[in-house]
Amino acid sequence: MKYLFLFIITTSYLFANAHIFVYHRFADDRYPSANTTIKELTKQFDYFKQNNYEVVPLSKILDKLEKKEEIPNKWIALTIDDAYKSFYSHGLEIFKKYNYPFSLYVYVEATEKHYGDFMNWEQIKESSKYGEIGLHSYSHKRMQNLSDKEIIQDTKNAFDTLVKYTNITPTTYVYPYGEFNEKVTNILKNNFSFRSILNQNTGSVNSKTDIYDIPRIALVGNVNINHKLRYKTFDAKWIEPKVFPRDGILKKVIVKVDKKYKKLKLYITKEGWRDVSVKNGVVDLDLNIYLKRARTRVMIGPNVFTISNNIINKVKTKKGEIK
Ligand SMILES: [Zn+2]
């Protein structure tokens, strides 16, 4: 086992990397931080076409991952979170025009209870002719704040309700707000038969990507799509931090990486980038930084485009204190 682990962290092939993007709202200027205009969407799709990117169904990438096969560099999968009405009214026609498949992740309670901004069941069924449908929880709560029982209940409710109204069996899941921790992932893995779980961390997908921890890059506002396509997942094993520290103080960062690296760049939310040294494939850093954000991103890599993400979220109990 030990040797297998060493083998995994010391091999350094040039892995091919596909990219998975996530959209939220379309042509809805009330919410600029979640919106993609039609002009911008068309610009991105034209870029994919002109540069020979192939937009494939997410399931095609999952087929490759399950077989541990290389994933072509030029593959892209597109996902849409929440199932806002604006996708149905504005986004879908552009996807159809370019013949680009997508995975649509339904916030089930919003659709079931007819919350104003969200698609109805008929619109979801209609969309399923052109894309895949997955789950984005029932209640869209931060899963890491729920008990084990509540996480199971929420997911079961989402699953059963979607099947009841659409007859579609969802096979993939994306976390509300992209927030999760090891506990949440394990509960979803162990109690449901999802083929894959996707997060919202910056990175790429290659044959070594964990199928239950797939990165997706958010595309909102005006983006430099060429830059987004340069992101690659850096192969690293995080030892510390695993969870958000109780006292809010990040004391240490420990990461195992390929032995060939001597120096890397480390990023912490609100702290920015710093250079760190690597000894025998280990970054071991004493920090004592007070974390200013409940959602803190720690990243490491040889450059700002080749990174491993570690996002730690403050966990709150019902009484409001940190667990
Ligand atoms: Zn969402």
Side-chain angles (χ1 to χ4, degrees), residues 24 81-82 84 136 140 175-177:
H24 291 84
D81 279 12
D82 305 307
Y84 287 115
H136 189 39
H140 207 287
Y175 305 104
Y177 309 101

Side-chain angles (χ1 to χ4, degrees), residues 44-221:
Q44 292 167 11
F45 284 8
D46 283 340
Y47 185 90
F48 298 156
K49 275 239 157 26
Q50 280 154 17
N51 293 278
N52 303 315
Y53 284 94
E54 191 186 347
V55 177
V56 299
L58 174 66
S59 54
K60 211 167 159 182
I61 292 178
L62 302 181
D63 290 343
K64 290 277 186 194
L65 274 180
E66 281 167 351
K67 292 183 203 145
K68 306 252 177 261
E69 287 175 7
E70 284 298 314
I71 299 166
N73 251 325
K74 289 272 179 169
W75 277 14
I76 287 173
L78 303 173
T79 68
I80 300 135
D81 279 12
D82 305 307
Y84 287 115
K85 209 168 257 169
S86 68
F87 170 63
Y88 190 78
S89 347
H90 305 293
L92 180 59
E93 61 183 299
I94 310 297
F95 281 76
K96 280 159 73 174
K97 186 177 154 200
Y98 283 77
N99 207 12
Y100 281 173
F102 54 85
S103 290
L104 177 67
Y105 288 95
V106 183
Y107 163 15
V108 176
E109 184 177 41
T111 291
E112 188 184 27
K113 296 187 178 167
H114 311 290
Y115 294 170
D117 260 3
F118 296 85
M119 289 162 64
N120 63 34
W121 295 120
E122 279 312 310
Q123 292 165 340
I124 286 166
K125 278 197 274 185
E126 173 68 18
S127 303
S128 75
K129 293 179 188 165
Y130 311 97
E132 299 167 351
I133 309 292
L135 283 188
H136 189 39
S137 85
Y138 183 79
S139 62
H140 207 287
K141 287 180 179 149
R142 291 181 158 81
M143 289 295 136
Q144 73 273 15
N145 294 343
L146 303 186
S147 70
D148 298 16
K149 223 177 121 189
E150 287 167 331
I151 297 169
I152 293 170
Q153 193 59 54
D154 182 278
T155 313
K156 197 178 169 332
N157 200 5
F159 191 96
D160 292 347
T161 307
L162 186 87
V163 173
K164 180 176 136 194
Y165 286 102
T166 64
N167 231 348
I168 297 164
T169 304
T171 57
T172 58
Y173 182 96
V174 301
Y175 305 104
Y177 309 101
E179 291 187 14
F180 65 102
N181 57 22
E182 219 172 11
K183 181 190 93 164
V184 174
T185 309
N186 286 336
I187 290 172
L188 293 175
K189 265 169 73 174
N190 298 337
N191 293 280
F192 299 92
S193 51
F194 292 119
R195 190 179 180 195
S196 170
I197 301 172
L198 299 91
N199 60 47
Q200 200 173 308
N201 297 345
T202 300
S204 61
V205 184
N206 60 46
S207 57
K208 293 171 77 180
T209 302
D210 180 350
I211 201 159
Y212 296 109
D213 191 20
I214 294 186
R216 298 184 302 160
I217 301 172
L219 298 181
V220 287

Side-chain angles (χ1 to χ4, degrees), residues 255-271:
V255 197
K256 292 192 175 180
V257 299
D258 192 301
K259 281 201 169 76
K260 75 178 180 190
Y261 294 103
K262 298 282 169 261
K263 261 192 185 322
L264 290 171
K265 290 187 174 301
L266 178 83
Y267 173 90
I268 302 167
T269 301
K270 296 306 255 175
E271 297 287 324

